[in-house]
Amino acid sequence: MLVILGILCQFYFKVWQFGFLKIGLLFLTLLLFLLIKHRVLNTLISFFLFYFIGVSSVYINNDLNYDNHYSNHIEAHQLTFLKISKVLKPNRYYKKFEAEVIQVDSTKTRGKILLNISNSDYTKILNVDAVLVSKLEIQSISKSLNPYQFNYKTYLEKQRIQEQIYLKEQDYLIHQSSQNTLIGYSDRFRNKVEKALKKYNFKANDLAVINALLLGKRVNISKDLLEDYANAGAIHILAVSGLHVGIILLILSFLLKPLEQIRNGKIIKTVLIVIFLWVFAFIAGLSASVIRAVTMFTFLAIGLFFNRKNIVLFSLISSLFFLLVFKPLFLFDVGFQMSYLAVFGIVILQPKIYKLWKPRYMIIDKFWQLTTVSLAAQVGVLPLSLYYFHQFPGLFILSNLIIVPVLGFILIGGILIITLALSNSLPQVLAKFYGKIISLMNNFVSWIAKQEDFLFTEISLSLSMMFIIYLVIIFWIYFFLNRKPRRLIYLLISIIVLQGFVLYEEHQKRNKDEFIVFHKSRNTIIGERRGASLSIHHDLDSTFINQLNAITAYQVNQNVKVNTVENIPYIFTFRNQNVLVVDSLGVYRIGDFKNQIILLKQSPKINLERLIKELSPKQIIADGSNYKSYVKRWKATSEKLNIPFYDTSINGAFILKN
């Protein structure tokens, strides 16, 4: 916990800014103090040491703290060398890549950047380890412009990416480089496998799922199929993670069990399991999620070798510590959080839940084991899942009961399919049979997803509430493992705290008023919030407004009811503040309207200097419906006359609060 606290403090508050040398000196000082035989002092120093390990790991992993970061060297018209480190999922307009800035002119540099290449200009296929030479115009990454929307800028910062560039094909040359990485070799191997599989006429969705399950490549899965897996509570099937690696570990442990009968057989078995796990990681692309999962189960495999009490839990904690020391920003990855919480739930809870009932028949017992595993994992991840995704698939047990038992056969069969396809000896009938199994799985998932009565969506859960729910779960597990009166008291207190916080949040919601000018390119959206109700005034199509992410994000996060109104009044009143809306007609002489807020929309052709002299506004707002050239001119005029100017395309949504 102290390591995690240190990571959070350094990432958000930059508590350490004193350089690398002083990190070493402080560590050395702490270790010397540990030589003093004083119990209380040693305990305090140990606590601080673990905290400082978290702080220093973030500082050391931050490329911006190094003198050779590209931002310290790059200038206009300099030749810059970019090395592709990851191929990202493209959008409608751009192919996207994660790239390392390895050299500026003749200076070796470091630092990641987001590379965007226009789809219309993308004719040369770029793979991992490709090196591009170009003259860069670096741009900042835009933050989220509306409240509670996904913040891509923050997400990339947690991937150590601070800036981005846009290139056309004529803007760069591909440099011949012999410096290949292990990830690059893995990427080329996966491309070769994908090319070999395409010869066997798999259906598009089936091939996409095969690539996701075996190669860790999800970029070709259709949006509808992804939504079906998410709504069925089976999205984890498509991401090579702890589930896949755990199943492979179980299969390998079973297949290699006869080795235990020979001398040093357990050591040989453990070594072979670790080797095979990392071979699978290579096949699956050595992505961050795969490396995390294989590292976790490598520690677990080694822990199982010792076969001691609580060794599994100790192995998990050790792998968690190891990963966070070397890759502290893994902490902010949703997959990392959910993987460990699910496994901790299984390790701690599943044996106790399983003991509640002992089926007489083996087949029922196996299904009961799977059910208890799914329940224990769901207890571990449910609050986190509700916080991030705001939905709960009620049929997750059914989907997992059917899919998980056959997933092992799918993975082993997939490795066989890959081996035969690469050697051009895969029989078409076998490929067709394997494709049929994948197709049946996809159809089953789609059927589960269509049972909408069992899919609970738009669930609002705040960060504070999530932590309190986890507090209740921890005390419930604490009591469940050993039913003592004192533990029951702790559980009841935590439930009372939860109830109190529910009442507090409800009170806050019903007493919250806001006036919001949302940012939407080419359109105007204005929200008036009164307690638990949000009225939306807009000029969009009525069917489109209900699907707009800016509105649904606010609605779900704040748990309010949305009413849409297809007209925008010229005057809004919020508390004692009036807002005058000036649209394309340019009408603003409406009674005595001095010292108020002016909202400009739909690019009115007005003389802003004259408007300011007549109305003396407190502030001027320009929303996303205006021409950028107009907004630029208005901003200059406002600054000249010392009037605060707010541009939603830069500053994000404008919000007045009570």
Side-chain angles (χ1 to χ4, degrees):
M1 284 300 296
L2 289 169
V3 173
I4 292 173
L5 180 62
I7 291 171
L8 294 173
C9 287
Q10 179 61 24
F11 183 82
Y12 288 110
F13 306 113
K14 305 292 187 295
V15 294
W16 184 266
Q17 299 182 24
F18 308 109
F20 295 99
L21 179 60
K22 291 180 180 178
I23 286 177
L25 291 174
L26 183 55
F27 265 118
L28 182 61
T29 303
L30 292 173
L31 292 174
L32 289 174
F33 271 111
L34 283 176
L35 297 177
I36 301 172
K37 301 301 181 182
H38 190 283
R39 185 175 179 180
V40 175
L41 180 63
N42 286 353
T43 301
L44 292 174
I45 291 174
S46 298
F47 286 165
F48 184 75
L49 186 60
F50 278 106
Y51 167 80
F52 190 67
I53 286 173
V55 170
S56 59
S57 64
V58 175
Y59 186 87
I60 292 169
N61 277 272
N62 187 351
D63 293 326
L64 292 171
N65 294 325
Y66 292 82
D67 292 335
N68 65 339
H69 188 263
Y70 70 83
S71 62
N72 298 322
H73 301 277
I74 200 163
E75 295 178 5
H77 309 301
Q78 286 184 310
L79 283 179
T80 305
F81 293 76
L82 304 172
K83 189 171 187 176
I84 305 296
S85 56
K86 188 175 182 181
V87 180
L88 305 175
K89 188 166 186 174
N91 62 21
R92 186 184 303 177
Y93 307 105
Y94 295 99
K95 302 293 183 185
K96 291 180 173 288
F97 306 87
E98 182 183 290
E100 290 274 352
V101 183
I102 59 173
Q103 187 173 324
V104 177
D105 275 348
S106 59
T107 305
K108 300 294 183 183
T109 57
R110 66 187 297 160
K112 291 183 179 181
I113 202 164
L114 178 64
L115 169 62
N116 303 275
I117 299 179
S118 172
N119 283 333
S120 59
D121 293 307
Y122 187 74
T123 58
K124 301 174 185 176
I125 304 300
L126 298 178
N127 295 316
V128 174
D129 285 347
V131 176
L132 310 184
V133 184
S134 180
K135 295 179 180 179
L136 305 184
E137 291 185 14
I138 294 177
Q139 299 181 25
S140 61
I141 298 167
S142 300
K143 65 179 182 179
S144 174
L145 294 175
N146 288 303
Y148 313 116
Q149 280 186 298
F150 173 70
N151 195 327
Y152 192 49
K153 178 181 176 70
T154 302
Y155 168 77
L156 289 178
E157 285 175 353
K158 292 171 182 175
Q159 310 299 314
R160 296 165 47 210
I161 297 174
Q162 310 291 333
E163 296 172 308
Q164 64 180 337
I165 54 171
Y166 290 86
L167 294 179
K168 296 181 179 179
E169 192 168 273
Q170 63 267 27
D171 295 334
Y172 65 87
L173 296 173
I174 299 178
H175 179 67
Q176 297 299 321
S177 173
S178 58
Q179 295 180 350
N180 297 317
T181 63
L182 190 60
I183 294 176
Y185 286 120
S186 173
D187 186 63
R188 281 189 286 281
F189 175 79
R190 292 192 301 158
N191 290 337
K192 187 177 180 180
V193 170
E194 190 175 6
K195 186 177 179 181
L197 291 175
K198 285 181 179 178
K199 299 176 184 177
Y200 294 92
N201 302 317
F202 290 104
K203 293 179 182 177
N205 267 343
D206 296 346
L207 182 60
V209 170
I210 292 171
N211 287 334
L213 288 173
L214 302 172
L215 306 178
K217 300 180 75 171
R218 290 174 52 177
V219 294
N220 296 321
I221 301 178
S222 68
K223 184 179 178 181
D224 291 339
L225 188 60
L226 272 176
E227 287 182 358
D228 285 345
Y229 271 86
N231 293 340
I235 191 66
H236 56 286
I237 301 294
L238 298 180
V240 178
S241 58
L243 173 65
H244 304 72
V245 180
I247 289 173
I248 290 174
L249 174 62
L250 290 174
I251 292 171
L252 289 173
S253 296
F254 174 76
L255 294 176
L256 298 176
K257 193 172 181 61
L259 290 175
E260 295 180 7
Q261 305 303 317
I262 65 175
R263 185 180 180 184
N264 297 322
K266 288 190 70 176
I267 297 176
I268 297 171
K269 174 187 171 183
T270 302
V271 171
L272 287 175
I273 286 174
V274 171
I275 291 172
F276 284 132
L277 288 181
W278 283 100
V279 168
F280 177 73
F282 178 84
I283 294 172
L286 292 170
S287 65
S289 60
V290 174
I291 290 173
R292 288 196 304 262
V294 173
T295 300
M296 180 198 303
F297 283 96
T298 295
F299 274 81
L300 189 58
I302 295 171
L304 290 172
F305 166 76
F306 292 100
N307 195 26
R308 293 181 181 176
K309 186 179 180 181
N310 296 326
I311 194 66
V312 173
L313 190 60
F314 177 77
S315 300
L316 287 174
I317 294 172
S318 298
S319 68
L320 177 65
F321 176 76
F322 177 82
L323 285 169
L324 290 180
V325 166
F326 290 98
K327 295 289 183 180
L329 299 189
F330 276 176
L331 179 65
F332 302 103
D333 189 280
V334 179
F336 177 86
Q337 297 167 10
M338 296 189 75
S339 291
Y340 270 96
L341 286 171
V343 175
F344 276 121
I346 292 169
V347 169
I348 296 171
L349 271 182
Q350 191 272 340
K352 291 292 182 180
I353 300 175
Y354 176 71
K355 288 180 181 178
L356 294 176
W357 178 47
K358 182 64 178 174
R360 294 175 57 186
Y361 303 103
M362 187 177 72
I363 185 67
I364 299 176
D365 183 61
K366 293 299 180 185
F367 275 100
W368 173 236
Q369 285 184 32
L370 282 172
T371 302
T372 57
V373 167
S374 292
L375 283 172
Q378 198 65 42
V379 169
V381 303
L382 181 58
L384 193 72
S385 179
L386 293 179
Y387 173 70
Y388 282 120
F389 307 116
H390 308 293
Q391 67 177 35
F392 175 68
L395 295 178
F396 74 92
I397 291 181
L398 178 59
S399 59
N400 282 278
L401 278 177
I402 302 300
I403 295 175
V404 172
V406 300
L407 186 58
F409 297 104
I410 290 174
L411 292 174
I412 297 299
I415 293 172
L416 176 63
I417 292 290
I418 286 174
T419 305
L420 294 174
L422 287 174
S423 60
N424 292 318
S425 56
L426 174 61
Q428 183 63 46
V429 63
L430 183 58
K432 188 175 181 180
F433 176 72
Y434 189 74
K436 186 65 176 177
I437 292 174
I438 300 296
S439 186
L440 286 172
M441 182 175 73
N442 291 342
N443 292 336
F444 173 73
V445 167
S446 296
W447 178 79
I448 291 285
K450 287 179 174 60
Q451 313 309 307
E452 295 181 357
D453 290 341
F454 296 95
L455 178 64
F456 307 97
T457 60
E458 297 184 358
I459 300 172
S460 178
L461 189 70
S462 67
L463 181 64
S464 302
M465 185 67 77
M466 182 195 74
F467 281 120
I468 292 174
I469 291 174
Y470 269 118
L471 183 69
V472 173
I473 290 173
I474 289 169
F475 281 117
W476 173 71
I477 294 172
Y478 188 56
F479 173 69
F480 185 59
L481 294 177
N482 193 340
R483 297 176 178 84
K484 292 182 177 180
R486 180 179 294 179
R487 297 187 177 194
L488 178 60
I489 291 172
Y490 294 153
L491 174 60
L492 293 175
I493 290 173
S494 68
I495 292 173
I496 292 171
V497 171
L498 176 63
Q499 291 173 328
F501 206 82
V502 169
L503 294 174
Y504 170 76
E505 285 198 342
E506 187 66 21
H507 172 77
Q508 291 289 96
K509 180 179 74 174
R510 296 193 176 280
N511 287 276
K512 188 173 184 178
D513 294 342
E514 288 183 334
F515 173 81
I516 311 165
V517 180
F518 291 93
H519 177 78
K520 176 70 175 73
S521 180
R522 294 188 291 276
N523 291 101
T524 295
I525 304 173
I526 299 172
E528 288 186 291
R529 175 171 176 178
R530 298 287 186 269
S533 178
L534 177 68
S535 296
I536 296 294
H537 302 267
H538 65 93
D539 56 9
L540 289 90
D541 182 88
S542 58
T543 57
F544 179 69
I545 188 69
N546 294 322
Q547 302 171 356
L548 193 65
N549 184 258
I551 305 304
T552 55
Y554 187 97
Q555 178 185 4
V556 172
N557 189 279
Q558 293 292 289
N559 192 23
V560 294
K561 182 180 179 181
V562 173
N563 305 302
T564 57
V565 183
E566 293 185 25
N567 76 291
I568 301 174
Y570 283 106
I571 297 176
F572 289 90
T573 301
F574 179 80
R575 300 287 175 166
N576 297 320
Q577 181 69 64
N578 291 324
V579 180
L580 173 64
V581 179
V582 181
D583 61 13
S584 58
L585 297 177
V587 177
Y588 59 85
R589 293 181 177 89
I590 305 177
D592 186 13
F593 206 87
K594 290 194 174 184
N595 200 30
Q596 303 296 328
I597 295 174
I598 305 295
L599 170 61
L600 304 174
K601 77 179 191 76
Q602 298 298 337
S603 306
K605 295 179 174 61
I606 58 172
N607 185 317
L608 187 61
E609 189 168 342
R610 184 184 302 150
L611 181 150
I612 291 172
K613 288 179 179 178
E614 290 185 20
L615 300 184
S616 301
K618 275 185 180 179
Q619 186 167 25
I620 294 175
I621 309 163
D623 72 1
S625 67
N626 298 289
Y627 296 134
K628 290 185 178 180
S629 58
Y630 282 34
V631 175
K632 186 177 180 180
R633 188 173 70 245
W634 293 336
K635 183 178 181 181
T637 302
S638 299
E639 289 176 349
K640 174 185 172 184
L641 299 175
N642 295 319
I643 301 297
F645 186 84
Y646 194 98
D647 178 7
T648 63
S649 68
I650 296 175
N651 306 112
F654 176 82
I655 303 176
L656 287 175
K657 298 182 179 181
N658 59 329

